[in-house]
Amino acid sequence: MSSYIDCDSYFLVFADCIPTRGAKNSTICDLTRTTLEVFPSSFYPFFEIFKQSTVKEIYNDLELESHIEFTKFLDFLLEKEYGMFVDDLELFPELEKRWESPELINNAIVDVRLRKHDFGGIFDQLNSLGCIYVQLRCFESLYTIKELSDVIKLAENKSIQSIELIIKYHASFTDQDYVDLYNDHVLISSLFVHSAPENKVLIADFGYKGEDQILKQEIHREIHFYTTPITGASHCGIIDAKYFSIGDVQSFMHNISYNSCLNKKISIDEEGLIKNCPSMIHDFGSIDDIVLRDVVDAESFRRVWGINKDLINVCQSCEFRAVCTDCRAYIESPDDFLSKPLKCGYNPNDGTWTDWTVGRQHAIAHYGIDI
Amino acid sequence: MIVINSISKDHTTTEVIRWLIALGVKDFVRIDSDVEDIEFVGYNGIDSFIISKNGIPINLFESKSYWYRRGGVISFSKSKLKEIKLSQDINLEKKLIGNISSENQALNDYIKQFVAHRSPVSLGSYHNSSLNKLHVLDLARQFGIKTPGTFVINTKKELSRKLVENGPLITKAISEGVSIYNVNHSYYSYTEEINESDLVNISDVFFPSLFQKKVDKKFEIRVFFLSDRFYSMVILSQRNKQTEVDFRKYDERKPNRFLPFRLPAEVELKLAALFKALDLNTGSADFVVDKNNEYFFLEINPVGQFSMVSYPCNYYLEKEVAKFLIN
Ligand code: SF4
Ligand code: SF4
């Protein structure tokens, strides 16, 4: 095995490869190559030592029997291209741990079941708050495709840049109707159809017939049909490795600084009640009586925005906390607002994933979640 | 009032404006020269210089802050001109249209100069928006900044001699390079490496082209300059061949790393002097650093895409630009 024992250089860990220490295991997240690797936490202290000592110095300070392990660790970091040897660490500052955005509200969830909201008014208000993303979740087929199209039109020429649309399948609409809905609205960023007779994917291409592969890829959009019904807001809040966000500097910085789900979010539930998220029990009044701006200005509304993973029990010692999503509506101990998300089956103390529903009957019953 | 000169769909402009609004600015005008209907209304030389945007009058005397982001000539009364027949003689008609468009150009230049001088705060520069690469390289050397050996060559004979003397060369456009597309394909000109083996494909005489000695590069640096401050980024691409010459050629599997970088103070000082000499208070500069840690200056782009530095380095440059304009 090669050794780096004579290396007078420093080992630079690239600024976009960020380690996170967990109870048993730690992770290193490569934001450029969008990968996440796990390693034993006993190696984590080296990331601090790399900033002060040359590789040679590190070897000299280590017990002889640790040399092989350390060499292996360097091999791992080099093989994954997480860093390189440099003479001058000063030239390579870390990414500043900072997240800011100009908008007051970044995203909104609007739920629809049996009540037709005043969408014109809602989108106007969201616009004045600078809202960029909207998720529209329809549990029932309250609107026809034509009516949905009219609703989307109301969001045009506003701060809103994209709408994620979740609708219920209805037999009176053809595949072409769904494709047309997508093609007619650049605002729709994704379209999910639940309660469908079969799982399938339709392609919307906005009428592009050319051969340019890059353009094709950019234009290509999929409409996903799922047989599973989405009957209400209680489907939300699942924590799973496949939802980890490991692709982008800003979302990483956001995740470690604020509540990854609720920061700068506002919601209107199926009854028209204004909430942090539709699944929350607490509301801040009805959209019929109060303007969103007043709700956003209230300290009590923004309190959850600042609850990051460092404040949440269990998550604070989890190696996935920098890339994990969060949920404050469904939590393990409904009485303890800082307890970990209910729908997470991970235990950072032994590094295992198990079925989250096991042993959680109390909380499941409390929220009335049907599994 | 803040006046912003840009083009439609320029995302960076939109981001800066979002920050302006967040920082409490209400009075701003964005002029997108490619789409907007701008009319000249009147200039009295004393206190009123009025143009109108979509029918709304703007008095340029009230501009407190001007940002020339990008964009070319605003055409005045294009629609009206179409209706007027200037001459029955088709050749005279053509010449007259030429005259009118140079009148339009001169008026445009003046408007941009006027706002830039009139506004206490002014960022970017229309008359410097396209620099001559060769001239900038000369100036850089005068300030003691290293540049790769640079030649303009138009014969195979001379090219082959330079290849023998210098080893591999690179070639790139003297001006802006090609970026064209049709419905099926997109074409871009990149910086390309030229070796002796390429000579067989080159004709004896060709259009005068820019060549530079290829620097044995360790990494590339892109620097965004904003009124006396530098925000630098290092581009690590040397691990994959595809991007070795030009980092814009992207490898999806092993994308380049774009990381924050601290430019040595000595390089910053010289570069600041170069920006000053060019009368620019903002822009992007490119360097390559070789294996001996020498910094070779490549070029300055006065309307640099600073978002490509801002996002990967988490610098919030859009906010910094907004703060500069408010100041
Ligand atoms: S807090 Fe939980 S339930 Fe609410 S939106 Fe976030 S993940 Fe979903
Ligand atoms: S313990 Fe917390 S941070 Fe870790 S995976 Fe579960 S929810 Fe995410």
Side-chain angles (χ1 to χ4, degrees):
Chain A
M1 183 187 298
S2 69
S3 169
Y4 309 93
I5 195 157
D6 291 325
C7 178
D8 280 319
S9 304
Y10 291 89
F11 187 77
L12 168 77
V13 178
F14 297 130
D16 57 347
C17 297
I18 306 179
T20 304
R21 180 183 209 141
K24 178 168 187 280
N25 292 316
S26 294
T27 54
I28 179 163
C29 176
D30 184 334
L31 291 171
T32 300
R33 306 226 166 125
T34 64
T35 57
L36 188 74
E37 289 284 339
V38 179
F39 60 89
S41 287
S42 54
F43 288 102
Y44 184 88
F46 285 119
F47 288 100
E48 287 308 316
I49 299 172
F50 285 143
K51 293 176 197 165
Q52 281 124 36
S53 311
T54 64
V55 174
K56 190 179 189 169
E57 287 163 356
I58 299 175
Y59 273 104
N60 289 342
D61 290 346
L62 279 177
E63 303 285 329
L64 208 57
E65 54 269 29
S66 306
H67 280 201
I68 292 181
E69 282 298 302
F70 179 59
T71 304
K72 270 196 200 156
F73 187 56
L74 275 178
D75 281 337
F76 160 76
L77 296 174
L78 284 164
E79 196 223 316
K80 296 283 176 186
E81 298 181 4
Y82 290 140
M84 63 180 182
F85 298 109
V86 298
D87 296 327
D88 191 354
L89 277 178
E90 288 282 291
L91 297 176
F92 302 91
E94 288 179 24
L95 286 165
E96 203 185 334
K97 304 259 187 304
R98 163 187 181 199
W99 185 85
E100 287 179 52
S101 78
E103 69 277 4
L104 278 170
I105 286 294
N106 174 274
N107 63 91
I109 301 180
V110 184
D111 279 352
V112 174
R113 191 183 301 273
L114 300 170
R115 178 191 134 111
K116 292 195 172 174
H117 300 303
D118 164 21
F119 276 102
I122 290 174
F123 290 147
D124 276 342
Q125 291 196 46
L126 288 177
N127 179 53
S128 71
L129 294 166
C131 179
I132 303 173
Y133 308 103
V134 173
Q135 190 184 51
L136 193 57
R137 308 190 296 196
C138 304
F139 305 127
E140 293 297 335
S141 312
L142 183 65
Y143 294 107
T144 64
I145 297 266
K146 166 78 179 64
E147 285 169 329
L148 274 174
S149 178
D150 290 341
V151 166
I152 308 284
K153 264 193 210 116
L154 294 169
E156 284 171 4
N157 302 316
K158 303 218 153 49
S159 64
I160 298 163
Q161 281 163 25
S162 75
I163 298 180
E164 188 178 306
L165 198 55
I166 299 169
I167 54 180
K168 187 178 180 184
Y169 178 84
H170 198 282
S172 63
F173 304 119
T174 64
D175 284 0
Q176 193 56 42
D177 288 334
Y178 291 108
V179 171
D180 287 347
L181 176 68
Y182 212 143
N183 279 344
D184 288 348
H185 297 282
V186 277
L187 268 184
I188 302 179
S189 61
S190 59
L191 178 55
F192 297 95
V193 184
H194 67 87
S195 312
E198 52 170 342
N199 288 324
K200 68 172 175 185
V201 178
L202 292 178
I203 308 294
D205 61 6
F206 298 90
Y208 179 74
K209 297 283 174 281
E211 290 296 313
D212 192 315
Q213 289 306 321
I214 298 170
L215 250 179
K216 253 190 182 169
Q217 231 174 37
E218 279 211 349
I219 287 171
H220 179 100
R221 292 281 184 282
E222 295 176 349
I223 303 171
H224 291 266
F225 287 73
Y226 294 110
T227 52
T228 329
I230 297 181
T231 52
S234 67
H235 283 260
C236 202
I238 305 272
I239 307 289
D240 192 296
K242 67 173 180 268
Y243 302 131
F244 288 172
S245 148
I246 43 177
D248 164 272
V249 173
Q250 276 66 43
S251 67
F252 187 93
M253 294 306 165
H254 178 257
N255 254 12
I256 62 174
S257 318
Y258 294 95
N259 188 275
S260 54
C261 179
L262 296 172
N263 185 37
K264 297 203 178 193
K265 181 196 277 323
I266 198 162
S267 304
I268 294 154
D269 80 357
E270 55 187 65
E271 314 279 354
L273 298 174
I274 304 165
K275 297 177 170 179
N276 288 111
C277 108
S279 300
M280 295 273 183
I281 292 156
H282 184 69
D283 70 75
F284 295 82
S286 164
I287 186 80
D288 298 335
D289 312 323
I290 185 166
V291 289
L292 295 180
R293 178 61 195 244
D294 290 345
V295 173
V296 173
D297 283 345
E299 181 75 35
S300 56
F301 181 77
R302 291 190 316 243
R303 197 173 68 91
V304 289
W305 294 7
I307 300 179
N308 63 18
K309 293 278 189 192
D310 289 345
L311 300 171
I312 297 168
N313 302 332
V314 186
C315 297
Q316 60 200 181
S317 63
C318 176
E319 64 274 26
F320 300 122
R321 65 186 180 279
V323 294
C324 187
T325 55
D326 189 48
C327 178
R328 287 298 92 203
Y330 305 112
I331 50 180
E332 202 172 42
S333 318
D335 304 327
D336 177 4
F337 199 65
L338 294 176
S339 65
K340 78 177 267 212
L342 171 65
K343 302 179 188 181
C344 164
Y346 188 66
N347 178 355
N349 290 318
D350 62 15
T352 57
W353 290 90
T354 47
D355 181 357
W356 66 267
T357 57
V358 176
R360 301 259 169 76
Q361 285 74 6
H362 168 68
I364 291 169
H366 173 91
Y367 293 116
I369 300 169
D370 34 283
I371 313 278
Chain B
M1 179 177 63
I2 298 177
V3 178
I4 298 169
N5 222 147
S6 187
I7 55 170
S8 63
K9 307 223 163 66
D10 183 64
H11 179 68
T12 303
T13 308
T14 310
E15 280 302 295
V16 171
I17 289 176
R18 293 205 318 122
W19 278 110
L20 286 174
I21 295 167
L23 295 167
V25 174
K26 295 195 173 69
D27 195 10
F28 63 87
V29 200
R30 172 180 181 163
I31 298 172
D32 289 330
S33 60
D34 56 334
V35 292
E36 233 123 46
D37 192 14
I38 305 291
E39 292 268 336
F40 175 83
V41 179
Y43 171 44
N44 71 3
I46 306 159
D47 59 3
S48 153
F49 193 144
I50 307 208
I51 59 172
S52 83
K53 177 189 151 170
N54 304 331
I56 299 158
I58 302 160
N59 186 355
L60 298 176
F61 271 91
E62 283 162 20
S63 170
K64 295 275 173 292
S65 185
Y66 175 61
W67 181 27
Y68 175 77
R69 158 82 187 136
R70 58 198 304 182
V73 181
I74 304 157
S75 181
F76 292 105
S77 305
K78 207 193 241 163
S79 48
K80 280 185 200 143
L81 264 178
K82 277 206 191 105
E83 294 159 16
I84 305 168
K85 194 106 190 96
L86 295 164
S87 168
Q88 301 301 332
D89 182 325
I90 200 142
N91 285 324
L92 284 183
E93 168 91 10
K94 253 192 208 145
K95 287 199 175 118
L96 282 168
I97 286 175
N99 285 345
I100 289 198
S101 88
S102 47
E103 283 290 293
N104 185 45
Q105 173 82 52
L107 180 58
N108 252 281
D109 288 357
Y110 178 61
I111 289 177
K112 282 165 187 154
Q113 266 162 3
F114 175 86
V115 207
H117 284 118
R118 176 80 211 167
S119 311
V121 174
S122 175
L123 185 67
S125 153
Y126 173 65
H127 70 274
N128 266 347
S129 60
S130 74
L131 297 172
N132 189 296
K133 267 182 209 167
L134 295 166
H135 171 65
V136 175
L137 285 166
D138 286 346
L139 262 184
R141 277 190 294 273
Q142 282 174 27
F143 286 105
I145 304 173
K146 281 206 175 62
T147 63
T150 303
F151 334 96
V152 179
I153 299 171
N154 67 334
T155 63
K156 177 143 95 175
K157 211 170 124 210
E158 181 61 16
L159 178 59
S160 120
R161 215 176 50 224
K162 285 286 189 273
L163 280 168
V164 173
E165 285 169 11
N166 296 284
L169 303 174
I170 61 102
T171 184
K172 58 182 174 185
I174 300 175
S175 59
E176 300 294 325
V178 174
S179 169
I180 48 174
Y181 53 89
N182 62 17
V183 70
N184 290 329
H185 300 283
S186 327
Y187 303 89
Y188 303 98
S189 62
Y190 292 106
T191 299
E192 297 287 349
E193 184 173 336
I194 302 288
N195 287 298
E196 307 227 11
S197 60
D198 295 308
L199 285 171
V200 285
N201 299 316
I202 292 173
S203 49
D204 288 342
V205 178
F206 48 88
F207 192 86
S209 303
L210 169 59
F211 292 89
Q212 285 184 315
K213 187 176 156 64
K214 190 190 166 203
V215 176
D216 191 10
K217 90 172 170 193
K218 206 155 77 173
F219 38 73
E220 268 169 86
I221 309 286
R222 168 147 302 182
V223 184
F224 177 67
F225 176 64
L226 175 67
S227 93
D228 300 329
R229 270 206 69 178
F230 290 95
Y231 302 85
S232 304
M233 173 174 89
V234 59
I235 299 155
L236 295 174
S237 63
Q238 81 277 31
R239 280 182 190 274
N240 46 70
K241 275 271 177 261
Q242 199 188 6
T243 51
E244 203 166 272
V245 181
D246 190 329
F247 77 81
R248 288 170 299 181
K249 280 191 183 173
Y250 216 67
D251 182 333
E252 295 268 348
R253 245 171 346 97
K254 287 202 170 172
N256 304 328
R257 295 190 189 280
F258 299 85
L259 310 174
F261 191 74
R262 206 169 276 136
L263 203 60
E266 184 209 332
V267 182
E268 281 195 357
L269 272 175
K270 291 174 181 171
L271 187 60
L274 178 59
F275 270 102
K276 197 163 192 301
L278 291 165
D279 197 20
L280 287 172
N281 59 1
T282 188
S284 295
D286 290 343
F287 286 87
V288 271
V289 180
D290 76 359
K291 308 264 188 270
N292 304 316
N293 298 320
E294 299 273 15
Y295 290 71
F296 289 90
F297 168 80
L298 298 181
E299 61 185 273
I300 281 179
N301 183 352
V303 285
Q305 286 295 4
F306 60 82
S307 292
M308 70 94 74
V309 175
S310 185
Y311 293 130
C313 299
N314 210 29
Y315 284 152
Y316 294 91
L317 296 178
E318 295 76 9
K319 185 181 183 187
E320 293 305 317
V321 168
K323 275 163 49 188
F324 177 85
L325 292 172
I326 292 171
N327 192 349

